[in-house]
Amino acid sequence: LLAYFLAQEALGPWLSPAARRIIRAREVKVWSMWTGVYRKGFGYMDFCRCMEGGEFYSHVGKNMRLAGFSKRHFLRTMFNSSSAQHHLMRQQQCRETPLSGFFPEAALTMMFTTGCVPGDVGMAALLLQNCVLEQDIQKVLLLHDTMFRMSTLAADCQDSKFWPFTVRDTATQYARVIWELARRPNGRAPLEQPLLRRLAWNPPRGGPIAAPWHGQCGPHELRGGVRISFGVDDDRQRMEQDAQSNLGLAKVYQGTGRLQALTLGPVCTEIGRFWLRLGVTPNAAARERTLAIIPVTFSWWSNPWHHLHWWLPALYYLRVRERLLPEDTDVALTFMHGEAHWGKSTTAKVSEPERSEPEEWSFLWGKWPKPDKMDKFEKAWGPTGLHAYVLAMLSARRAAPLEEFNGQSYSRVIVGLPAVRYTLQIPRMACAQVASVKDFVESTPNFRALAAQRLQSQHGRPSGRKVLSFIQRTPKEGRVLQNLTDVVRAMEANVNISRGLDVRIVRGLSKGWPWTKQYHAIRTSDIIVSVGGAALGWLWALPHGGAAIELRSAGSPIWLTCSESWDVDWREMFGGLARLAGVHHICVRPHAVDLTVEAIAAAAGLSDPSSFTPYERDIDIYVHPQRAVQLAEQALRQVTGPPPPCLDHHPDT
């Protein structure tokens, strides 16, 4: 593969534009071949999962864009010592990183353990530019080799619309550097800026146009009438391994009546791609009924942020877009493998040439994981559990694990949902689609009943006032606003706030409130204030133009983006959700100490996410009352001004 790109670089001056276009058009098959090689060796696996250290890798992507990767001015700013981009490159730690960390053996170890090729390549690209500025050519070459080897893993999952580079960029840039050094007379050249500019990141633009990353995520459909079976035959030799034919296609099964064992997918969640082994038998006589197979992660954790990744697309795709009626729809649940633990696999010490992550972790389970945790089962999936009302909006029958639908026939089977993940990829769901989900929820009888009760309770109160809600957890849960009483008292004493805001405290979101009641509590707020945590996963329910104030502890790491400015942290977990929902957002560390230059430089440099020092996530927070008043006044101006545009979630906008 490297020889292919090196030949292009060497023959470049003699290739016509037409010849270049023909060669590039054929590159798709070249990269597909490598995908096939790795699938043969490792099986079905997601090398762009980025589950462990996801927030850190999102920060890496942010730094790459701040540095100007993929921009035409990149080289000019990189070598301009007065530019912010130059100083960002200088903060990477090429000199401090031992040479042994650059050898091919280290790269191979990373290839067997990495769960986030785009993030690891992005870190290496930042470090590479520092090595160029340090004039350490040996490390430059070794880093290029590492990036090239790793990028071949990600040919089928790299989202080039989110990350400011493609897998092709790493190959063409490596070939350019090799040829640049090889063609020098006697292999010698002065280490001056003209040569260094040729060694820095500047891959030729162009190449095959990649389809949107989320296009492969589904939903995938089987039509024409099928009888399904799951878990009946797990013999991998009988599975169709032609995954390409199953990507994003509606398949019609007729004729033979023979059982076909399929590998369907990928389906995409907030923690990456998964596949589903499903047996189907054509059955043209199947009744007109739809089976929706929904992947669920963290099944026992009643965390709104994680579960919105299936709540929103399921309601949008099944009810709003496809207009499927609950009485004509069944919902089958699938889950992560019960033994999956990506924290262990990404930090494993590899001694054998094999992946630390078993292939089975990439396949969805069709049975309840950990069935011994019945208290958590009731809280999440019981008749009054968190998900009960969402599932009731989707189907009039009880949702169940996929294995309970063995032997049943359907005219249509939908596998997976539109991708929502926005911190490390471009989502398929957009702001307008989230708005349509809110409209749908608010048309349901349960929500209308709650809205009527609220109108009745407000009889005689002055209208036109905005509502600010503090989301307060229990002391046992942690992440409590310690001086909430003082903060509320200070707000009530402020003339501007008392005239324009009603202040209320919402307690008990995590204590078994029904889904619609939780949604209603946020929907009837204009501003919410919460310590960073699961409750902020509800901010999508705010009215268009609402505002969310996220509080972070002083001890949270710098790579956890918290800019203390409105509407800028949209690559962050809750800032990104706010952008997706069309609401304002600010993240603040209300009592953070001033950082030294050395601390900032160290945090901006590249580190191994597996060696991060854990920080106390559940620590309580104190906010000076006057600081809280300032934030409330800012939020009031935001929600009384023009709402933010309802945009697609694109990194360059």
Side-chain angles (χ1 to χ4, degrees):
L1 182 62
L2 179 59
Y4 167 83
F5 285 100
L6 190 57
Q8 281 195 55
E9 184 66 27
L11 297 174
W14 294 277
L15 290 176
S16 68
R20 289 178 182 274
R21 286 193 296 270
I22 293 172
I23 291 173
R24 288 177 177 175
R26 293 179 177 176
E27 280 183 22
V28 174
K29 292 184 178 180
V30 175
W31 291 110
S32 296
M33 177 195 72
W34 278 98
T35 298
V37 168
Y38 288 125
R39 180 151 294 168
K40 189 74 173 177
F42 298 136
Y44 286 84
M45 201 159 290
D46 184 10
F47 294 101
C48 303
R49 190 176 303 284
C50 303
M51 176 185 173
E52 293 299 316
E55 291 171 308
F56 171 80
Y57 284 124
S58 180
H59 185 71
V60 170
K62 174 186 175 182
N63 275 348
M64 293 191 76
R65 294 193 177 279
L66 287 176
F69 278 78
S70 80
K71 302 297 184 183
R72 294 187 179 277
H73 59 71
F74 175 70
L75 288 180
R76 184 171 66 252
T77 55
M78 174 179 166
F79 286 96
N80 180 356
S81 60
S82 63
S83 70
Q85 291 88 342
H86 175 89
H87 286 279
L88 191 153
M89 299 300 182
R90 284 290 188 187
Q91 289 168 358
Q92 314 310 318
Q93 300 180 356
C94 177
R95 185 178 302 173
E96 292 79 5
T97 305
L99 187 62
S100 59
F102 295 86
F103 287 151
E105 292 80 3
L108 287 172
T109 298
M110 184 171 286
M111 290 177 72
F112 290 130
T113 60
T114 182
C116 190
V117 169
D120 290 332
V121 172
M123 286 196 298
L126 287 165
L127 182 59
L128 171 68
Q129 310 320 305
N130 185 227
C131 291
V132 170
L133 293 174
E134 297 284 350
Q135 302 183 11
D136 194 329
I137 305 305
Q138 183 179 13
K139 288 183 177 179
V140 167
L141 287 170
L142 289 171
L143 270 171
H144 271 300
D145 187 74
T146 296
M147 293 166 61
F148 170 69
R149 291 173 187 266
M150 292 188 62
S151 289
T152 59
L153 293 169
D156 69 330
C157 62
Q158 165 84 1
D159 187 354
S160 57
K161 293 186 180 300
F162 183 91
W163 296 93
F165 63 91
T166 67
V167 292
R168 185 179 190 272
D169 290 342
T170 62
T172 56
Q173 182 67 16
Y174 188 20
R176 168 177 285 186
V177 169
I178 291 175
W179 182 245
E180 182 64 31
L181 296 176
R183 71 186 183 89
R184 297 282 170 173
N186 302 319
R188 295 179 177 274
L191 290 178
E192 298 173 350
Q193 191 170 126
L195 174 61
L196 295 178
R197 291 173 69 91
R198 295 284 294 174
L199 301 183
W201 185 262
N202 189 31
R205 295 172 180 83
I209 303 300
W213 171 86
H214 53 63
Q216 65 177 279
C217 294
H220 311 291
E221 296 200 16
L222 308 177
R223 290 178 178 265
V226 294
R227 178 180 180 272
I228 68 165
S229 58
F230 177 81
V232 176
D233 183 5
D234 287 331
D235 185 355
R236 287 179 56 197
Q237 298 303 317
R238 293 186 58 189
M239 291 296 172
E240 291 185 3
Q241 298 299 315
D242 184 13
Q244 190 65 31
S245 67
N246 293 321
L247 296 182
L249 300 179
K251 299 182 72 66
V252 180
Y253 292 93
Q254 298 175 350
T256 65
R258 181 176 59 86
L259 172 67
Q260 300 180 58
L262 302 179
T263 299
L264 295 171
V267 296
C268 302
T269 73
E270 79 278 19
I271 59 172
R273 302 181 301 163
F274 295 89
W275 287 262
L276 178 69
R277 289 174 176 148
L278 189 68
V280 298
T281 304
N283 180 7
R287 58 179 175 161
E288 288 294 324
R289 192 168 184 83
T290 299
L291 177 68
I293 301 177
I294 296 178
V296 177
T297 58
F298 302 104
S299 52
W300 308 117
W301 192 6
S302 299
N303 183 312
W305 185 84
H306 282 288
H307 292 293
L308 70 86
H309 288 79
W310 69 265
W311 291 343
L312 291 175
L315 290 170
Y316 167 72
Y317 190 78
L318 301 178
R319 293 305 313 274
V320 177
R321 174 176 162 168
E322 297 298 302
R323 300 180 183 275
L324 297 176
L325 297 177
E327 53 268 26
D328 297 329
T329 307
D330 287 344
V331 172
L333 305 172
T334 56
F335 307 95
M336 292 189 302
H337 192 282
E339 298 178 0
H341 195 313
W342 286 280
K344 290 182 178 179
S345 67
T346 55
T347 57
K349 303 298 182 183
V350 176
S351 57
E352 299 292 335
E354 62 183 28
R355 283 282 299 178
S356 59
E357 173 187 336
E359 181 189 13
E360 287 303 310
W361 292 3
S362 292
F363 285 93
L364 294 167
W365 269 19
K367 57 185 177 182
W368 291 117
K370 302 179 182 177
D372 56 310
K373 298 184 179 295
M374 293 309 298
D375 57 332
K376 292 188 176 182
F377 173 88
E378 290 298 328
K379 185 177 180 181
W381 303 102
T384 59
L386 176 63
H387 310 301
Y389 190 63
V390 177
L391 295 172
M393 288 188 282
L394 300 175
S395 175
R397 298 175 63 185
R398 182 181 68 89
L402 178 58
E403 68 176 1
E404 296 188 22
F405 294 87
N406 272 333
Q408 298 191 36
S409 295
Y410 295 89
S411 59
R412 182 183 185 187
V413 178
I414 300 173
V415 181
L417 298 167
V420 181
R421 194 182 200 188
Y422 51 82
T423 55
L424 291 158
Q425 279 116 7
I426 300 299
R428 184 173 177 180
M429 288 282 287
C431 178
Q433 295 165 339
V434 175
S436 70
V437 171
K438 292 194 283 188
D439 290 341
F440 172 77
V441 171
E442 289 158 30
S443 70
T444 61
N446 277 24
F447 182 87
R448 287 180 175 178
L450 289 172
Q453 292 174 14
R454 182 171 184 265
L455 284 175
Q456 187 175 11
S457 66
Q458 286 184 321
H459 183 69
R461 292 187 183 182
S463 60
R465 294 165 63 85
K466 302 296 184 180
V467 175
L468 182 149
S469 296
F470 284 96
I471 312 299
Q472 182 76 323
R473 296 156 64 105
T474 66
K476 183 179 179 181
E477 293 174 299
R479 280 183 269 188
V480 169
L481 186 53
Q482 293 174 320
N483 61 325
L484 179 57
T485 301
D486 294 336
V487 167
V488 172
R489 188 180 296 119
M491 287 187 176
E492 292 173 343
N494 181 275
V495 175
N496 294 331
I497 294 178
S498 62
R499 287 176 179 173
L501 281 176
D502 285 332
V503 179
R504 69 181 184 183
I505 301 173
V506 177
R507 307 179 192 269
L509 283 183
S510 62
K511 293 302 179 183
W513 280 16
W515 190 91
T516 314
K517 184 177 179 180
Q518 296 192 46
Y519 176 90
H520 183 267
I522 306 303
R523 184 66 179 88
T524 54
S525 304
D526 297 283
I527 304 165
I528 59 172
V529 184
S530 177
V531 179
L536 282 171
W538 279 109
L539 68 82
W540 63 272
L542 283 166
H544 182 210
I549 300 174
E550 175 187 358
L551 305 176
R552 289 279 185 180
S553 68
S556 56
I558 300 172
W559 49 260
L560 198 63
T561 305
C562 189
S563 302
E564 307 211 7
S565 298
W566 286 96
D567 301 334
V568 298
D569 291 336
W570 60 267
R571 294 183 186 88
E572 181 257 340
M573 181 180 292
F574 301 114
L577 180 58
R579 182 182 178 91
L580 194 63
V583 303
H584 298 286
H585 168 269
I586 189 172
C587 176
V588 296
R589 292 184 174 96
H591 58 173
V593 297
D594 292 334
L595 293 167
T596 63
V597 174
E598 293 77 12
I600 294 174
L606 299 178
S607 304
D608 177 7
S610 65
S611 66
F612 287 162
T613 301
Y615 69 98
E616 181 54 63
R617 293 179 179 270
D618 294 328
I619 193 170
D620 296 340
I621 287 181
Y622 172 89
V623 182
H624 193 282
Q626 289 308 308
R627 175 62 170 142
V629 168
Q630 292 173 357
L631 289 170
E633 289 178 324
Q634 293 174 16
L636 183 58
R637 288 193 292 271
Q638 295 286 346
V639 299
T640 53
C646 199
L647 299 171
D648 289 345
H649 206 279
H650 196 279
D652 289 331
T653 57

